[in-house]
Amino acid sequence: LWQADLKRILAYSTLSALGALVLLMGLDTALSVKAAMVFLVAHALYKGALFQVAGTVDHETGTRHLGKLGGLARAMPITATAAGLAALSMAGLPPLLGFINKELLYEANLQAPRAAAVITAAGVAANVLLVALAGVVGLRPFFGRKRATPKQPHEAPPALWLGPVILAGLGLAIGLFPEAVADRFLTPAVSAVRAELTVVELKLWHGVNPVLLLSLLTVGLLFNLERRRR
């Protein structure tokens, strides 16, 4: 949160994601391994897209420094759209795969064999920061007041924006149709880790339950922190 370079922010948040993956694997339940495999896919899609967006922004503006970026959406609409979709998935908002991932992560934490309350509280705190970072890297450079940059910004060539568009688009498509990925990729992955057949079923909406309430709490805490900061 104290970094100003887009790629540094993404790199530090990746360390947090790796820690969450290790935690989920360490819990060693069928649900936690399922959450880890979904997290692996969701994180690869949104973080891959955002890293490429950071490189594209640097290429087109001459800087990755947050203090020098703003209002790029008008000059770079395709890149901004890809960044926005990836950021929303990173923040765990529906109907993206990141939302399904966050719900599974909270469910696995709540059902941890030991110290479930501590693990869940840590997960909520980490997700509050993750949502904040999603806004910082995926939205702040493209919206708000336009800032002067070392190079006059304009939309990148297709070779630079195609990758982020595909990755961010997959995060949306899988979020809308999660069963297609669950049957073909996630069931074999979880079964391999568990060394037994484990069928993975994914749904975008599970109704109002404790996991959804934790998601709402995450967003509420973020808004409260932002209000206090201002």
Side-chain angles (χ1 to χ4, degrees):
L1 283 171
W2 282 267
Q3 299 297 322
D5 184 284
L6 285 177
K7 285 194 174 182
R8 275 184 179 269
I9 296 170
L10 292 170
Y12 276 113
S13 66
T14 299
L15 294 179
S16 174
L18 294 174
L21 284 170
V22 171
L23 168 67
L24 290 169
M25 296 299 288
L27 293 178
D28 196 26
T29 65
L31 182 57
S32 70
V33 174
K34 173 182 172 181
M37 294 301 102
V38 176
F39 191 9
L40 188 62
V41 176
H43 182 263
L45 293 176
Y46 68 67
K47 192 60 67 70
L50 289 172
F51 263 115
Q52 291 183 51
V53 164
T56 301
V57 168
D58 190 14
H59 185 272
E60 298 304 321
T61 65
T63 182
R64 296 196 308 258
H65 195 286
L66 275 174
K68 300 177 181 179
L69 296 171
L72 294 176
R74 184 168 297 179
M76 306 175 67
I78 300 176
T79 303
T81 300
L85 279 176
L88 292 176
S89 188
M90 181 175 173
L93 297 181
L96 293 119
L97 180 58
F99 174 74
I100 298 175
N101 160 57
K102 185 172 66 175
E103 299 276 288
L104 282 172
L105 190 148
Y106 280 159
E107 188 178 359
N109 289 347
L110 284 169
Q111 296 184 26
R114 295 177 296 277
V118 175
I119 292 172
T120 300
V124 170
N127 271 303
V128 169
L129 299 179
L130 198 65
V131 176
L133 290 175
V136 167
V137 299
L139 301 178
R140 188 183 296 179
F142 298 97
F143 300 98
R145 182 170 62 88
K146 185 177 181 181
R147 298 177 183 272
T149 53
K151 294 168 60 177
Q152 182 64 29
H154 54 79
E155 188 57 86
L160 290 180
W161 58 250
L162 186 60
V165 166
I166 290 174
L167 293 174
L170 283 172
L172 175 60
I174 297 173
L176 293 171
F177 306 102
E179 279 303 319
V181 172
D183 292 338
R184 182 163 297 187
F185 298 107
L186 295 176
T187 289
V190 175
S191 298
V193 173
R194 297 283 297 166
E196 61 184 16
L197 178 61
T198 307
V199 177
V200 175
E201 296 180 356
L202 294 181
K203 292 182 180 179
L204 181 63
W205 176 249
H206 292 88
V208 178
N209 54 30
V211 173
L212 179 64
L213 296 178
L214 284 175
S215 294
L216 295 176
L217 174 63
T218 301
V219 177
L221 288 172
L222 175 65
F223 279 117
N224 186 55
L225 288 174
E226 283 292 311
R227 184 177 59 82
R228 290 177 178 273
R229 186 176 65 85
R230 292 175 182 177

